[in-house]
Amino acid sequence: MLMPSVKPLDQLENASEFIARHIGISETDEAHMLSVIGEASRRALIDSIVPRSIARSQGMQLPPAVTEAAALAELKALAQKNQLLKSFIGQGYYGTHTPGVILRNILENPAWYTAYTPYQAEISQGRMEALVNFQTMVTDLTGMAIANASMLDEATAAAEAMTLAMRTVKSKSRVFVVSRACHPQTIEVIQTRAKPLGIEVVVPQSADQWNAALQSEHFAALAQYPNSTGLVEDLSAYAAHSHAQSAAFIVAADLLALTLLKAPGEMGADIVVGTTQRFGMPMGAGGPHAAYMACRDDYKRSLPGRLVGVSVDVHGNPAYRLALQTREQHIRREKATSNICTAQVLPAVVASMYAVYHGPQGLKRIAQRVAAYTAVLAQGLQGMGYTLRKDTAFDTLWVLAKDATASLMQRARDAGMNLRQACDQSITISLDETTTRDDIAALWRVFAAEGQALPSFDGFEKGIEPLIPAELRRTSDFMTHPVFNSHHSETGMLRYIRALSDKDLALDRSMIPLGSCTMKLNATSEMIPITWPEFAHVHPFAPADQLQGYQQLDEELRAWLCQATGYAGISLQPNAGSQGEYAGLLAIQGYHASRGESHRNICLIPSSAHGTNPASAQMVGLQVVVTKCDENGNVDMADLKAKCEQHSANLAAAMITYPSTHGVFETTVKELCALVHQHGGRVYVDGANMNALVGVAAPGEFGGDVSHLNLHKTFCIPHGGGGPGVGPVCVVQDLVPFLPGHATGGTKGGVGAVSAAPLGNAAVLPISWMYIRMMGADGLKHATEAAILSANYISKRLADHYPTLYASANGHVAHECILDLRQLKETSGVMAEDVAKRLMDYGFHAPTLSFPVVNTLMVEPTESETLEELDRFIDAMIAIRNEIRLIESGTWPQSDNPLKNAPHTAASVLKTEWTHPYPRETAVAAAGRAVNTKFWPSVGRVDNVYGDRNLFCSCVPISELA
């Protein structure tokens, strides 16, 4: 019997075991792939692709990789540095109970959190139904005509409402009036957003000044309902004042309160915004949470963000789709009215399912309980001698504490509770769904004088009148659609969630080969910490000494990301990549202004750049000048030089994407950066393709001044069907002073707040922390190289079937390849869209369609895909090309073939009569191993034109479904 060989102890410990689990390609697979590409080693491949002039001179200084168990233990210890006090702070963030059936089957379910943005409607019907539920919930509660499918947070939603109003109303004023009783973080973000657009934000300091401002020229006004200190008041007169000035009236409203309060739409509101956080999403130190925006019907075609509408498929059945897709901001480029290109889909789904599960009666009962406890607390405090500064409330009391304010705040903290100090002599107390009788009693003890008898619940057992004026109590129905009145048992809810997820194709089923917006693996160990109470139940405006775990997480993650990018400073505040771009351009503007060069307003952007680049430049008031690209997709250096010279005196910045949007490492990037710097401009390197750079090149080293990162792409935060996202902004040393600040959160300086919370979507930052901690420097570099290897393998294997449009001189690509299908239109009538839809029959999500070149497919595999899955995708693409050859030969007509009729539903192939010239087995792509992995799209090809002409964006009545 042979004795096993003895191995070194460090090999048995295997601290890098996660790397092999994250990267799907083994050493044997790698050797095979390299042989197909024609390179001797992975190192040789990378050296032939990444220009030597930008290769990193030294490695990233990161902690060595550890096992999943070790990383979780380390992060748990960090999390426990946060103090979990009972929060009564309010200010837009509240405790909530996430129903277990939603927690387990949506928030923690990869079928939902690994889904992509629903651009391919036929395989996104489940999440789009959930988003239509969201839109219906919002329109019903707000009393408005239409709502979008979520915004990033309440503060940025209010800022978007400001610009929506400015471009929609008749008033030519540049004045925006904001009630001082709005949440302070909302006011701060609005001020940041308004400044570069030349909007004057007026915040009246008294009721008389507020009324006077509304009766003076302004283009819009914003009020909070109930306001930040708890007051519930009729807004009708204020709305009328604004309308008399040809201005819009905007309301930031609490959705839970609206189950009991008169709807803003019934008081004359034109736009209503807010957050759905208290519908089942934990506070999470600020996010992610789905904000909402609803508006009048005549504003709908200017509404920012995404809108899910109802259309019909080719069989005449109702089908959901993204409505008005031509309004997508990245398509409108410098003509965009917003740079929003993502939503908060996963939190929006959670919020909508919370509403479905509880139904209108359940939501009303939760709200009634909150309102009743608020009235009980108020009566008890008044009985103890305290004065309430307002006599109306839903969930928040404003207590006059006078000289005892500071001591009461400290007594509350000593008792395990956080209150909010509204001003020097006042405290506010906000209750929520999680408030108990014990909490009320504990609050009475805090406010009681020594020896003072405490109030008793005995007198309230038969009920108590809420502090809501009779004239403001809701009388209109809401959420009457059957979907909100059917799934109240756990079994029913479980099956509804499962039925929706079965209609969607997410990363848990197959590879999603999207270029430009990578679908990275969201490893389970990375996801586990997001629901830990120490991260999930922390209020973003709790005292700083209670947030030490988050502070350490922020510091470590920023330091690690600096190592990955080569930059000197980073802010994690932006809660989407688009917001990171915006913050970065603000930093550049702030830098120029500090040098007395505010006149610099020209932003050079190559024609190939991501569309959010010109949209973001427009948002900060920069003038976009487009520069040319050559026939290989590279920046035309001669044209860039001419534009730099032409605009030298006013050049603010140039924005590039690297590697380029065309999937190539351009060799002149250092020269490009030097040229822009020579003319006084700064270089913005879009970090969308950072997953092709980590470990091999760093934009902060080769000449970039600013970048944003898409953490959902490069550092594994889930895409979640279109959000949440995090878009950190990274800068070189002299731009660090111009990173976002957050005065409400205790951070002064910078260019102001760009998100409602100081850390933005803080609750998902542990995911990226875990990824970096388990990968280490070597693992991160290996991941980059494996992604580049996979892209070149696909490009090479498909070369005889679909030529790659752009490549370097040696024929290689970066981390993605653009397959050129343009010639197929002439030979077969087949368009790239037909191939995209046909891939659904083969069980794949389509690559990126017609971007950045019309009638092409951009393919980007990730390092986590196995060789088997890459080959399965390649085989599907080759099979589809062979089907196209049958069309080209005349075997199948151009008007009736598997591509033009794709995707095929089960219902369509089970019809008794089959009239197509190809067999049913071909229709469903059921040959070979596809039989075992068959995915059935739930609808046929969706009619986009019909949907735009017949815009319908709320739950379809049963009569229409019949």
Side-chain angles (χ1 to χ4, degrees):
M1 181 177 177
L2 295 174
M3 296 294 293
S5 59
V6 177
K7 292 185 176 181
L9 188 58
D10 62 345
Q11 290 184 24
L12 296 175
E13 291 170 335
N14 195 15
S16 62
E17 64 181 13
F18 175 77
I19 298 172
R21 290 174 178 161
H22 177 82
I23 297 174
I25 300 165
S26 69
E27 290 185 14
T28 302
D29 297 336
E30 182 177 303
H32 166 72
M33 295 165 72
L34 287 167
S35 69
V36 170
I37 296 169
E39 291 287 354
S41 66
R42 190 172 82 232
R43 178 76 269 143
L45 174 68
I46 300 304
D47 287 348
S48 71
I49 293 173
V50 180
R52 293 301 84 200
S53 61
I54 67 167
R56 292 193 70 130
S57 56
Q58 60 182 11
M60 297 175 287
Q61 302 302 306
L62 298 174
V66 297
T67 64
E68 295 172 70
L72 283 168
E74 191 175 321
L75 186 59
K76 187 69 173 180
L78 185 154
Q80 289 173 341
K81 294 182 179 180
N82 290 327
Q83 297 178 38
L84 271 183
L85 276 67
K86 183 78 177 185
S87 174
F88 298 98
I89 298 171
Q91 201 172 317
Y93 300 92
Y94 305 89
T96 182
H97 294 304
T98 308
V101 65
I102 296 175
L103 177 70
R104 175 63 58 88
N105 296 291
I106 293 181
L107 194 58
E108 298 177 344
N109 184 351
W112 290 93
Y113 66 69
T114 67
Y116 182 63
T117 301
Y119 290 133
Q120 296 294 335
E122 297 82 2
I123 52 175
S124 308
Q125 289 296 296
R127 81 197 73 130
M128 285 202 284
E129 179 170 330
L131 292 176
V132 166
N133 293 346
F134 177 90
Q135 293 172 177
T136 304
M137 169 189 77
V138 170
T139 55
D140 280 8
L141 287 170
T142 60
M144 302 305 291
I146 195 167
N148 65 18
S150 82
M151 302 293 281
L152 301 176
D153 60 32
E154 181 172 325
T156 55
E160 291 285 346
M162 173 182 69
T163 54
L164 168 61
M166 184 175 65
R167 62 180 179 268
T168 307
V169 300
K170 294 180 179 179
S171 171
K172 300 304 179 184
S173 171
R174 304 291 290 185
V175 173
F176 184 51
V177 182
V178 181
S179 167
R180 68 180 298 225
C182 289
H183 295 316
Q185 69 271 19
T186 298
I187 298 173
E188 188 176 356
V189 170
I190 284 171
Q191 289 169 332
T192 300
R193 187 73 65 91
K195 184 177 179 181
L197 298 177
I199 296 172
E200 180 186 356
V201 178
V202 174
V203 186
Q205 295 302 300
S206 69
D208 288 343
Q209 290 176 1
W210 164 250
N211 275 291
L214 293 181
Q215 295 177 66
S216 303
E217 280 196 0
H218 63 287
F219 71 85
L222 172 68
Q224 192 92 36
Y225 179 68
N227 77 21
S228 196
T229 57
L231 176 67
V232 179
E233 62 177 332
D234 193 336
L235 305 177
S236 302
Y238 304 145
H241 291 329
S242 286
H243 294 158
Q245 297 295 324
S246 298
F249 192 71
I250 306 166
V251 177
D254 184 317
L255 280 191
L256 186 63
L258 293 185
T259 64
L260 304 182
L261 299 180
K262 188 175 183 179
E266 298 171 1
M267 294 186 285
D270 300 292
I271 306 170
V272 185
V273 296
T275 177
T276 62
Q277 179 267 314
R278 65 193 312 174
F279 278 31
M281 278 299 292
M283 290 181 287
H289 309 129
Y292 70 85
M293 178 182 286
C295 66
R296 293 166 44 182
D297 187 70
D298 48 348
Y299 287 9
K300 65 188 177 187
R301 293 185 182 269
S302 297
L303 186 65
R306 291 188 177 134
L307 199 64
V308 178
V310 181
S311 185
V312 295
D313 73 357
V314 69
H315 309 296
N317 300 313
Y320 300 106
R321 58 180 283 275
L322 286 182
L324 304 174
Q325 287 199 51
T326 54
R327 290 190 306 108
E328 282 283 357
Q329 300 301 338
H330 65 273
I331 297 173
R332 297 185 65 172
R333 302 179 69 82
E334 62 269 21
K335 294 183 177 63
T337 51
S338 166
N339 71 343
I340 294 293
C341 66
T342 56
Q344 296 277 42
V345 173
L346 189 63
V349 169
V350 169
S352 73
M353 290 300 186
Y354 181 92
V356 168
Y357 193 42
H358 287 295
Q361 295 306 315
L363 292 180
K364 187 179 293 185
R365 186 167 55 252
I366 293 168
Q368 287 171 334
R369 183 171 175 273
V370 172
Y373 274 169
T374 304
V376 168
L377 177 62
Q379 196 168 117
L381 289 173
Q382 287 171 323
M384 296 164 64
Y386 286 94
T387 299
L388 303 182
R389 298 191 65 169
K390 304 295 180 183
D391 57 2
T392 65
F394 163 63
D395 63 0
T396 299
L397 300 177
W398 191 4
V399 184
L400 185 62
K402 300 183 180 178
D403 294 340
T405 298
S407 62
L408 287 171
M409 292 289 292
Q410 186 58 52
R411 285 182 65 181
R413 283 196 289 273
D414 293 342
M417 296 177 285
N418 284 322
L419 309 181
R420 176 185 170 198
Q421 186 167 340
C423 61
D424 290 343
Q425 295 196 330
S426 297
I427 291 172
T428 62
I429 308 169
S430 295
L431 308 186
D432 56 46
E433 178 189 8
T434 69
T435 302
T436 65
R437 291 187 178 206
D438 288 344
D439 293 329
I440 302 298
L443 287 165
W444 282 333
R445 284 195 295 272
V446 166
F447 282 83
E450 186 175 353
Q452 185 177 20
L454 297 180
S456 169
F457 272 90
D458 293 343
F460 306 116
E461 294 300 341
K462 293 183 180 180
I464 183 171
E465 195 70 16
L467 304 177
I468 299 172
E471 66 275 13
L472 289 180
R473 296 187 186 183
R474 186 171 193 127
T475 58
S476 56
D477 290 333
F478 59 91
M479 290 165 50
T480 57
H481 190 277
V483 74
F484 299 112
N485 295 278
S486 303
H487 308 294
H488 304 325
S489 72
E490 177 150 346
T491 302
M493 190 67 188
L494 177 67
R495 289 173 181 163
Y496 180 60
I497 292 171
R498 176 59 187 263
L500 294 190
S501 65
D502 280 348
K503 296 179 181 181
D504 287 10
L505 190 65
L507 202 63
D508 64 327
R509 292 181 188 264
S510 73
M511 171 184 178
I512 299 183
L514 280 150
S516 179
C517 204
T518 321
M519 290 300 297
K520 295 265 281 191
L521 169 69
N522 316 124
T524 305
S525 291
E526 296 158 9
M527 298 298 296
I528 286 172
I530 67 170
T531 53
W532 286 349
E534 298 92 339
F535 286 134
H537 300 314
V538 175
H539 195 288
F541 299 120
D545 61 356
Q546 296 174 21
L547 299 174
Q548 291 184 14
Y550 265 118
Q551 289 169 4
Q552 183 177 337
L553 176 72
D554 172 57
E555 291 169 2
E556 291 182 354
L557 188 53
R558 284 190 292 112
W560 296 348
L561 293 174
C562 281
Q563 286 293 317
T565 60
Y567 285 110
I570 292 180
S571 168
L572 300 176
Q573 189 184 135
N575 52 15
S578 59
Q579 303 304 287
E581 289 182 15
Y582 173 73
L585 291 173
L586 284 180
I588 290 174
Q589 275 193 326
Y591 166 81
H592 288 312
S594 73
R595 293 161 53 88
E597 297 186 326
S598 295
H599 61 276
R600 289 187 175 270
N601 68 338
I602 299 297
C603 186
L604 304 180
I605 302 180
S607 59
S608 64
H610 285 90
T612 51
N613 290 176
S616 296
Q618 184 272 339
M619 281 181 63
V620 300
L622 295 177
Q623 180 182 335
V624 174
V625 173
V626 178
T627 66
K628 297 177 183 177
C629 289
D630 63 23
E631 61 183 14
N632 295 316
N634 301 316
V635 174
D636 186 323
M637 289 296 290
D639 186 59
L640 180 73
K641 182 179 180 183
K643 297 279 173 55
C644 282
E645 292 172 350
Q646 177 185 353
H647 299 287
S648 183
N650 297 309
L651 181 61
M655 299 182 78
I656 63 170
T657 299
Y658 199 82
S660 75
T661 311
H662 293 146
V664 177
F665 281 92
E666 298 184 43
T667 58
T668 57
V669 65
K670 290 192 75 170
E671 292 82 353
L672 183 155
C673 295
L675 177 62
V676 174
H677 291 155
Q678 178 186 333
H679 291 275
R682 306 306 293 258
V683 179
Y684 189 106
V685 181
D686 190 313
N689 293 337
M690 190 68 204
N691 52 307
L693 293 176
V694 177
V696 299
E701 292 182 358
F702 62 65
D705 297 298
V706 185
S707 291
H708 84 272
L709 304 177
N710 296 90
L711 293 195
H712 72 272
K713 288 192 60 175
T714 308
F715 296 98
C716 296
I717 286 176
H719 199 280
V726 180
V729 56
C730 322
V731 297
V732 292
Q733 188 64 54
D734 64 344
L735 294 181
V736 170
F738 307 102
L739 285 171
H742 206 290
T744 308
T747 305
K748 296 182 179 180
V751 294
V754 297
S755 297
L759 285 179
N761 285 341
V764 291
L765 297 177
I767 300 170
S768 296
W769 187 99
M770 283 288 294
Y771 174 62
I772 297 173
R773 191 69 188 89
M774 294 186 294
M775 292 290 280
D778 292 341
L780 292 176
K781 182 180 181 182
H782 188 177
T784 300
E785 295 176 347
I788 294 173
L789 170 67
S790 295
N792 280 275
Y793 176 72
I794 288 175
S795 176
K796 188 70 173 181
R797 280 210 55 201
L798 290 177
D800 293 338
H801 308 279
Y802 308 92
T804 294
L805 181 57
Y806 298 114
S808 57
N810 58 12
H812 293 331
V813 296
H815 61 304
E816 57 194 6
C817 58
I818 299 176
L819 303 180
D820 191 357
L821 281 66
R822 292 175 297 177
Q823 75 282 0
L824 298 179
K825 180 181 179 181
E826 296 298 324
T827 62
S828 64
V830 169
M831 306 291 286
E833 182 181 17
D834 300 318
V835 177
K837 303 304 183 187
R838 183 59 174 154
L839 274 168
M840 298 176 192
D841 289 329
Y842 283 87
F844 285 101
H845 196 291
T848 303
L849 175 63
S850 289
F851 177 82
V853 180
V854 174
N855 213 17
T856 64
L857 294 175
M858 181 190 284
V859 180
E860 181 177 352
T862 74
E863 68 274 9
S864 297
E865 296 301 340
T866 63
L867 176 59
E868 179 184 19
E869 186 71 354
L870 295 175
D871 283 338
R872 192 171 75 88
F873 171 74
I874 291 167
D875 291 346
M877 289 294 291
I878 292 173
I880 292 170
R881 184 63 182 92
N882 288 333
E883 292 172 352
I884 296 171
R885 292 186 176 103
L886 291 175
I887 302 169
E888 291 171 328
S889 69
T891 304
W892 293 333
Q894 290 192 8
S895 59
D896 189 2
N897 56 69
L899 283 89
K900 289 296 181 183
N901 296 331
H904 296 79
T905 64
S908 69
V909 298
L910 289 175
K911 289 182 177 178
T912 302
E913 186 178 7
W914 182 259
T915 60
H916 302 296
Y918 52 93
R920 299 175 200 253
E921 292 82 359
T922 297
V924 299
R929 57 183 170 177
V931 175
N932 299 322
T933 57
K934 179 62 187 167
F935 172 79
W936 291 99
S938 60
V939 297
R941 195 174 302 196
V942 177
D943 189 333
N944 290 327
V945 174
Y946 178 94
D948 280 346
R949 288 178 178 170
N950 302 275
L951 188 60
F952 192 83
C953 300
S954 57
C955 292
V956 182
I958 293 297
S959 59
E960 293 193 22
L961 286 174

